[in-house]
Amino acid sequence: MTAFAAQASPARFTPGSTAVRRDVHAGRVWTAMPQRVIDDTGDTLQLAYWPGITSLAPTTWIDSLRTGDTALRESGLQDLAAGTWTVAPYRWTGTALRSTFLAGEYFSVHRFQDADTGEPLCWYVNFELPHTRRPAGIDTLDLFVDLVVEPDLSDWSWKDEDEYAQGRRLGLVGDDLHTSVEQARQRALGLLQERVGPFADPWTAWSPDPAWPLPVLPDGADGTAPH
């Protein structure tokens, strides 16, 4: 399949359109998730993702979910560092999420809920490279560590510290990037504690309109990412 064409990035995405959120490393696609645009101010991009959507994910991650073998996740980071990973289609199940991406920030914020009942499950702060816009969506790279927050914001805990440490050992997170992540951790906690930014609005039940078509990946989503 051909790669995404390199074009001028759009100023904003149109609500209702599809934007593909990709993880890109060393010019190659690691993940690609088609999502529905809920809103886009230019500084804040809100996307939605729900069961039935098919994405691309590393085969080690898919196999880890299927088998429960956590060692596969470790080997997946080794593949990422070595540039030897492969991707395959993965169909999302179980949860619906609304995601907020902040321009220039080293994290995004997600609200996970049970897709069938609408029950709030958690806020999820994903630490990642500041995203860049492409005509088809946004590119970033997951930085492994995460912050999981109770739906009512009453408590929180760090997740995947071991993967972050492995990423440091493998050279995926160098010293300068580590400093940026540490600063982003403090900013995210500050927003949470002050109940501002993505945490300003109380949780409200949400579900995708049944009339919405599923977002789909465009041709070339698994190709080499443009520089």
Side-chain angles (χ1 to χ4, degrees):
M1 301 175 74
T2 58
F4 283 113
Q7 306 172 32
S9 297
R12 297 184 186 181
F13 297 109
T14 303
S17 65
T18 294
V20 181
R21 184 246 187 238
R22 305 191 303 177
D23 285 290
V24 176
H25 177 63
R28 291 181 55 209
V29 172
W30 190 36
T31 73
M33 303 167 63
Q35 304 187 43
R36 184 180 179 88
V37 177
I38 301 301
D39 190 36
D40 185 9
T41 68
D43 292 325
T44 302
L45 173 63
Q46 296 182 343
L47 304 178
Y49 193 69
W50 62 92
I53 298 175
T54 297
S55 298
L56 293 176
T59 53
T60 48
W61 182 82
I62 295 172
D63 290 342
S64 176
L65 287 181
R66 179 176 55 82
T67 64
D69 185 353
T70 57
L72 287 170
R73 292 175 65 94
E74 295 180 10
S75 66
L77 289 191
Q78 293 169 359
D79 291 343
L80 179 64
T84 56
W85 73 88
T86 57
V87 298
Y90 177 78
R91 186 175 181 270
W92 193 257
T93 62
T95 58
L97 58 149
R98 288 169 292 166
S99 303
T100 300
F101 296 87
L102 307 171
E105 192 50 87
Y106 279 81
F107 59 85
S108 55
V109 180
H110 312 263
R111 302 186 193 195
F112 278 82
Q113 65 184 51
D114 186 283
D116 293 326
T117 66
E119 178 186 1
L121 299 177
C122 69
W123 299 77
Y124 195 94
V125 183
N126 192 73
F127 290 85
E128 59 196 29
L129 292 181
H131 65 267
T132 58
R133 291 178 176 242
R134 301 290 184 188
I138 59 173
D139 288 353
T140 181
L141 180 64
D142 186 273
L143 296 175
F144 317 121
V145 70
D146 308 287
L147 180 66
V148 182
V149 184
E150 291 295 318
D152 63 359
L153 307 180
S154 62
D155 197 14
W156 52 266
S157 61
W158 292 104
K159 178 177 177 290
D160 295 335
E161 293 272 25
D162 54 341
E163 288 190 12
Y164 184 76
Q166 184 187 7
R168 290 277 285 149
R169 291 192 299 270
L170 291 170
L172 292 166
V173 181
D175 291 343
D176 289 345
L177 183 53
H178 173 65
T179 298
S180 295
V181 172
E182 290 298 296
Q183 293 170 346
R185 289 201 201 204
Q186 294 306 310
R187 285 196 298 276
L189 284 176
L191 294 176
L192 169 60
Q193 292 163 351
E194 295 295 327
R195 306 294 196 267
V196 295
F199 303 104
D201 298 325
W203 195 298
T204 55
W206 175 87
S207 61
D209 189 322
W212 288 353
L214 289 176
V216 297
L217 290 169
D219 289 343
D222 57 348
T224 302
H227 294 286

